[in-house]
Every structure is written in structure tokens, then in C-alpha cells.
Amino acid sequence: MTPDDIAGFYATRAELDPDDYIELDFDFECAGDPREAAAHLCSEQSTAQWRRVGIDEDFRPRFAAKVLELSAEPRPSGFSTPVECAARGPVHACRVTIAHPHRNFGPKIPNLLSAVCGEGVFFSPGIPLIRLQDIRFPESYLAAFEGPRFGIAGLRERLQAFDRPIFFGVIKPNIGLPAEPFAELGYQSWLGGLDIAKDDEMLADVDWCPLTERAALLGDACRKAAAETGVPKIYLANITDEVDRLIELHDVAVANGAGALLINAMPVGLSAVRMLRRHATVPLIAHFPFIAAFSRLANYGIHSRVMTRLQRLAGFDVVIMPGFGPRMMTPEHEVMDCVRACLEPMGPIKPCLPVPGGSDSAATLEGVYRKVGSVDFGFVPGRGVFGHPMGPAAGAASLRQAWDAIAAGIPVGEHAASHPELAAALQAFGGR
């Protein structure tokens, strides 16, 4: 690129109509001139050839992504991660904010992803290491999306669960149980105080535990538990499958008693979720398989909060995400970034419930609550309920007892002295 070519990919915010652009924050490492590398990054993700040969025209003013902000620091030691076939030259670590005209792809999630996390970004000349750190949408773009149908308020209304976290539980053993004993575990956990008993994200519509049979038995158990406890309960069925089965499985699961549906967001695809949201009559809940494959490294891939924002945009009412602690290998600040991406204002799009999870139990509830800083979160133990030494009813009760202590300002350990289920949970899981 010539200096004039490069300049065509730079702008100030005052020069652009903010309604016409999404904003992207990238961190990248480049070989050579950072200013030219950022221009290539804009060119490759928007208009890579901005005029026809021999014709006096320039598509950049209307269609080019533009650099709004750029900072660069030399890295005398070279790239932070060796990359075979990387360009040679002086290395800089850069941070850039780019305005990308959404007219290039429209309100279509596959086309959006193809532009901002596709070939043009990850094969941009001179940039072997790059991470999309954040994405922001103008209200003009958000207006074309439905977002969550129920959101946090709708889920709370269905459960009649206010001013506290929503208590989920992943039924364990997750793989191998036929439907009847699986349903009994769910029933016991609801009796103990669980709001939502759920399929594991890996439990599919399989011959040894078919969704039709499983949903029917769990639906019956759910209704029975609600009648006996006097409070609503939800069975969360996993309908992750081939895209052309999602509507069918929604109808089967809901007809047989599922009160919400789990979908593995990235394996199924966000466009499929958006389609399902238009058909769904119950809350949709996202799980995170595949997200770690492109979010774990700090200097490459896509920050998980970007995917959280997109899951909310696609219509999920709840987003289960990697949680706090060493089990999920996600920094605390990144978990909180995802929590905020669920809750913060997003134009007309409703907030969705964040559910940070991983090896949780009554012993970790207070820590999660203090980190999140509000009651607007879901808490999703597996073994913390279903591996409780006194059984799943006691495991669920231990969560409610821990929350009672937290809400009353009583130390959880002190409360456990008069609550054997909580005491057993702290003894069994307190070291995690």
C-alpha cells in the first residue's frame, strides 16, 4: 500500500455516522509498520480491492472499514508466540478500534461473523497473532434482531423466583443412565429446592435415553415436584442436534414437559438459534462447547464476551459460560466481562441471565455471588447437587441453605452447624 492507500482506511468518529457502523476492538502483533498493518486489516475484512482497473472510482468512503484508534508498542523479543510462516520485520504489539460499515453484511449473523472473524481478519498481511476483544452495535443494527424472548424477568416470572440467584443442577451421571432413573434424580433435586434440573450438554437424543421418553418422564416428575413443593420447577432438555431437527425436537421436548431448552450455541450455529427463537415457546439456554477453542489464548482468537454478546443477540434467554476458579481455566476478569455482556444495556435487546459455572457447590456460592455483585445470575452445580453424600435432595437443599445464610448476613459455616445438608456439602466440596 502507498501512504495515500493507507490513509483511505483511517477516519475519526466525527467523520462517520455512528448508526452506520459496528465497532471492533482488536489486539494484534504485526511485523513491519503497524499503521500499514491496521490498514490491511480494514481492507481485508471489507473492500480488499476498492477500484476496478482503469476506472476512476473508490469504494472506500462507503464500504471500507476504518481505523478509529491505534496504539503500538515495539516487541524487541519478537512475536509472543512463534508462528511458522509469519512475516519478518520489526514486531509491534498493537491495539486498534475499527469502525465497520454494517451495510456490508446486514443483520445476518453468518455474514457478520464472516466479515469480522473470518479470512480477512485471521489472514491479514503481516498479522499472524490477532484477537477480537470486543464488538459494539449501534441501535440501528440491533433493531433488526429480536434478542431474548423471555430474558431474566421472564424466567423469574415463570419460576416465581425473585431477589435471589436461579438454582440450576446438571443431572449426574450425565451419560449412561436410561430415562427412568434419570428422571428420579431430577425429581429428588426439585424436592430439595432446585429451580431447574437440566440435561448435560453432551446428553443428546440417543437410543438408550431418547428425548421423547426422557422429556415425558422428567416432565411428569417436574409437575409432581411443583405440586408437592408449591413452587414452579423447570426441566431443561438438551435438543442440540442437526439444524434440520431443531424445530422437531423443540416440539417433542415441550409437548412432553420440558420448560426450557438447552442448545450448544457454537456447534449448532447462532443463525440456527435465531431461527429457533422465532419458533420457540419456552426459554432458550446456551451452553459453551467449542468456545474455549478460540477464546482461551490471550493473544489469539476471539474473546468469549464477543460470543456472549452474539448469543444474546441471537435470542438466548440464558447464557451458561465458563465460570470462576481453576477448573474452567478462564481468568476472573474474562468471566466478569461475559457476565456484564449479558446484563449491560444493549439497545432494545433484553438482558439475559449469566450462568458462570464449573465445579460449583454450596461451598462456592458466596464467592460467585460476591464476584458477580448482584442476584442476577444462575448457579449450576453438577456433583455439588447430584454427588452430595446425602443425595440430590440434600444437595439442592444445601444450596438454598447457603443462600439463606448469605442473604441474612450469617457466615455460611456458622449456618451449617444447624443444617446437616449444608454441613455435608461444605465437608465434601469445601476444598474445591
Side-chain angles (χ1 to χ4, degrees), residues 334-394:
E334 183 158 338
V335 179
M336 285 306 304
D337 286 338
C338 293
V339 169
R340 285 187 288 268
C342 290
L343 300 175
E344 65 193 12
M346 194 173 170
I349 306 298
K350 291 177 183 176
C352 60
L353 186 76
V355 184
S359 293
D360 281 309
S361 69
T364 63
L365 176 58
E366 184 168 16
V368 173
Y369 168 61
R370 302 298 178 200
K371 289 179 173 71
V372 172
S374 82
V375 297
D376 279 335
F377 70 96
F379 193 66
V380 61
R383 293 177 183 88
V385 170
F386 296 94
H388 190 284
M390 296 167 65

Side-chain angles (χ1 to χ4, degrees), residues 98-121:
I98 289 172
H100 194 129
H102 55 75
R103 65 170 59 91
N104 289 3
F105 42 79
K108 308 165 190 173
I109 293 176
N111 305 84
L112 164 67
L113 289 172
S114 297
V116 306
C117 349
E119 176 185 349
V121 169

